[in-house]
Amino acid sequence: MIRRLFKPAAIVAFLAIVIVTGYLTRERWQVLLHPETRAADPVEADESPVSSSKIVVGEQAQLNLGLKAKALKPQTYWKTIQVPGMVVDRPGQSDRGVVALATGVVSRVYHFPGDTVRPGEALFNVKLLSESLHLTQTELFKATQEITLAQAQRNRLASIGSGGIPESRIIEVDNQIKRLEVAVKAYRQELQNRGIASHLIDEISQGTFVNEVTVTAPAISGERLSELDPEVTTNSDPTTTFEVQELKVDLGQQVQAGQLLCLLSSHQRLAIEGQAFRDETPLLERSVRESWPVEVDFREETTDWGELKQEFRIRQLANTIDPVNRTFAFRMPLENQSRVIDDEGRRQTLWRFRPGQKVLILVRVEKLENVYVVPSDAVATEGPESFVFTQNVNTFERKPVRILLRDRQRIVLANDGTLIPGTYVVQSAAEQLNRMVKSGANSGIPKGYHIHADGSLHKNEDEGK
């Protein structure tokens, strides 16, 4: 009886042992049943495992992303306030009007809106209708001839000798010559004020009268840049030009003396005008007292004009506040850059900066020392945390950083020991690299490659054999 009961119990115990043993060793025998689930081959001896904060990027991928690293260097950075501004014409320097100096009829127009003219170049021909101008020419000719006659009479009296004629007669002739010379000088000055050239006035005095005058572009003076910038003198090229902005008359139109003929513009000397609020007055006044330079962001994404080598300082603070906007203006001088294009004999001037262009003015308010400054694309943001990526050949590692300041182009990082000076930090595409780290793309060593201790990625020697 006992033997009969022992046999089933032994079988049950044996099956229990087999089941428990199979369960405990399931990881070994499941690999035999499912070969695709077996663990990956171990990393080669010269390979370095890549942590979850690191990513391996090949050479071609780096070129596609445009990755460039730069060594960090502690520096001094100025905290600034942003003030909106605009490029404006400089009063008395940019736009000029050309007027008719005598009554007449426009007989020829040399240039039209958009054309470029140099100082002294002809703009209009005006046929004279002024009776006073014609009378002045006549009087100048008559006075000149009377001087000639009086001089001849004076010489004739002098040849007779003092005994033949009274001395008072010679004195009378001398006084007449002086009166005529004064009159000639006055007539010449009046003609010169009417825009008649000196050589034409000489011809008028000889009897060749002028019936038509040429109105020319005014000269560009080389004096200092007015009260707006008294310490800087102009370095403009002598060939600086005007642009015809607007014509005010038509061909054949009668004009009066002093009537506006056209408007000329020269954008060589402009100004930057900012609009600040009343509570920002102490900051701007301090900038003026300390002679701190001001940064201007012209919002130029790409430009082939080159670097603008000009230092900006506030030269004028308005003493009145706009009653509508509750802001006050301040100005800085701006020296423009230009190019002249010759299109089939027609010159056109292209300017880098134009009146009406919006700018952003950065006024210094506080100095930050011993900080890191990187481009805005060098920092990736994920919630409350921010990261930069350090580069070691093909290996990029994500490092947390603390942001002190941020603007449209730059980010200021704290030098708190997280990054040591000289560390190479990627200057762009930080957001793309951060997405690759989060998704795990290429976060391990690619198949058939290995990583050396210096972080470089190399292909296995036996790969492809």
Side-chain angles (χ1 to χ4, degrees):
M1 180 70 179
I2 296 175
R3 183 176 294 178
R4 258 187 262 149
L5 294 174
F6 177 78
K7 195 171 183 180
I11 294 173
V12 172
F14 176 77
L15 292 175
I17 293 173
V18 171
I19 292 172
V20 172
T21 303
Y23 178 79
L24 296 176
T25 60
R26 64 186 184 278
E27 294 181 358
R28 297 182 180 179
W29 55 265
Q30 282 181 351
V31 173
L32 300 177
L33 296 177
H34 304 284
E36 66 278 3
T37 63
R38 62 183 177 181
D41 294 335
V43 178
E44 296 180 17
D46 60 347
E47 292 179 349
S48 300
V50 181
S51 66
S52 59
S53 64
K54 293 183 180 180
I55 185 172
V56 177
V57 182
E59 300 292 340
Q60 293 297 331
Q62 293 184 38
L63 295 175
N64 291 336
L65 292 174
L67 300 183
K68 292 183 179 180
K70 186 178 180 181
L72 285 179
K73 181 180 178 182
Q75 57 183 286
T76 299
Y77 183 82
W78 283 90
K79 182 180 179 180
T80 60
I81 59 171
Q82 298 182 356
V83 181
M86 180 185 298
V87 178
V88 297
D89 288 320
R90 192 180 302 185
Q93 299 285 334
S94 301
D95 294 340
R96 302 192 185 185
V98 178
V99 301
L101 299 178
T103 302
V105 174
V106 179
S107 59
R108 182 174 179 182
V109 179
Y110 288 91
H111 296 282
F112 300 91
D115 290 352
T116 299
V117 296
R118 292 188 175 92
E121 194 168 345
L123 297 175
F124 302 93
N125 280 353
V126 177
K127 190 174 181 61
L128 298 177
L129 298 179
S130 173
E131 295 182 1
S132 63
L133 191 56
H134 287 299
L135 181 60
T136 301
Q137 294 185 68
T138 304
E139 294 296 331
L140 174 61
F141 173 67
K142 288 172 58 178
T144 303
Q145 296 301 315
E146 289 177 359
I147 288 177
T148 303
L149 296 175
Q151 283 285 2
Q153 183 179 5
R154 174 67 172 76
N155 295 334
R156 188 168 54 254
L157 293 176
S159 63
I160 296 176
S162 57
I165 60 172
E167 185 71 21
S168 59
R169 183 69 184 276
I170 298 179
I171 295 175
E172 182 181 351
V173 174
D174 288 339
N175 291 337
Q176 182 183 3
I177 293 175
K178 290 180 181 180
R179 286 194 298 270
L180 292 173
E181 288 177 347
V182 171
V184 167
K185 186 175 181 180
Y187 295 144
R188 293 180 67 93
Q189 184 63 43
E190 182 178 353
L191 294 175
Q192 188 174 355
N193 292 340
R194 297 297 185 93
I196 299 178
S198 298
H199 70 280
L200 294 178
I201 297 177
D202 293 337
E203 295 180 0
I204 292 173
S205 63
Q206 302 301 319
T208 304
F209 294 166
V210 174
N211 296 319
E212 189 176 69
V213 295
T214 301
V215 180
T216 61
I220 298 180
S221 58
E223 68 273 8
R224 294 181 180 271
L225 300 185
S226 76
E227 69 281 354
L228 191 62
D229 191 10
E231 298 179 358
V232 180
T233 56
T234 178
N235 56 357
S236 304
D237 193 315
T239 60
T240 300
T241 57
F242 289 105
E243 180 181 348
V244 179
Q245 184 173 343
E246 184 180 358
L247 287 180
K248 295 294 186 178
V249 295
D250 297 323
L251 186 65
Q253 179 179 341
Q254 181 176 345
V255 295
Q256 303 297 322
Q259 182 176 338
L260 186 63
L261 299 178
C262 69
L263 287 177
L264 301 180
S265 63
S266 175
H267 298 316
Q268 178 68 37
R269 301 175 185 176
L270 298 175
I272 299 174
E273 183 177 87
Q275 296 290 335
F277 289 104
R278 178 65 182 86
D279 56 358
E280 295 171 335
T281 303
L283 302 177
L284 293 173
E285 290 178 348
R286 183 183 179 187
S287 178
V288 174
R289 288 196 311 269
E290 302 292 339
S291 296
W292 286 342
V294 176
E295 297 183 42
V296 180
D297 182 3
F298 290 95
R299 301 177 179 270
E300 295 177 312
E301 298 298 334
T302 57
T303 178
D304 58 349
W305 288 93
E307 183 182 358
L308 181 64
K309 298 180 180 180
Q310 183 176 350
E311 186 176 75
F312 298 100
R313 296 181 188 273
I314 299 176
R315 299 295 182 184
Q316 179 184 0
L317 281 175
N319 293 318
T320 58
I321 296 179
D322 190 314
V324 177
N325 300 326
R326 308 304 300 168
T327 60
F328 68 96
F330 61 94
R331 287 196 173 193
M332 300 167 289
L334 171 64
E335 282 291 315
N336 208 349
Q337 296 176 343
S338 63
R339 294 173 179 166
V340 178
I341 298 178
D342 193 346
D343 182 13
E344 297 180 355
R346 181 178 181 271
R347 295 189 306 272
Q348 182 178 2
T349 303
L350 302 180
W351 296 98
R352 178 173 182 175
F353 306 114
R354 296 172 172 84
Q357 178 179 344
K358 298 288 186 179
V359 299
L360 191 63
I361 304 172
L362 307 178
V363 182
R364 294 182 175 184
V365 295
E366 182 184 352
K367 179 190 282 189
L368 300 178
E369 297 182 346
N370 193 27
V371 295
Y372 298 131
V373 181
V374 297
S376 58
D377 290 340
V379 180
T381 302
E382 185 178 334
E385 297 188 16
S386 298
F387 307 93
V388 297
F389 284 84
T390 61
Q391 181 180 9
N392 184 13
V393 192
N394 295 92
T395 303
F396 296 82
E397 184 176 1
R398 188 173 69 171
K399 296 282 188 179
V401 293
R402 181 162 65 94
I403 295 178
L404 299 178
L405 288 174
R406 180 196 296 267
D407 60 26
R408 193 172 67 92
Q409 294 181 333
R410 292 163 294 188
I411 294 179
V412 181
L413 306 177
N415 185 6
D416 53 6
T418 304
L419 299 172
I420 61 175
T423 303
Y424 277 83
V425 172
V426 179
Q427 302 294 296
S428 61
E431 293 290 351
Q432 290 91 324
L433 292 177
N434 191 50
R435 285 194 292 268
M436 294 171 65
V437 170
K438 291 171 59 179
S439 65
N442 291 335
S443 59
I445 303 172
K447 185 177 180 181
Y449 287 80
H450 61 278
I451 297 179
H452 285 180
D454 62 356
S456 59
L457 185 66
H458 295 272
K459 193 172 184 180
N460 297 337
E461 295 181 357
D462 59 349
E463 184 69 19
K465 292 185 180 180

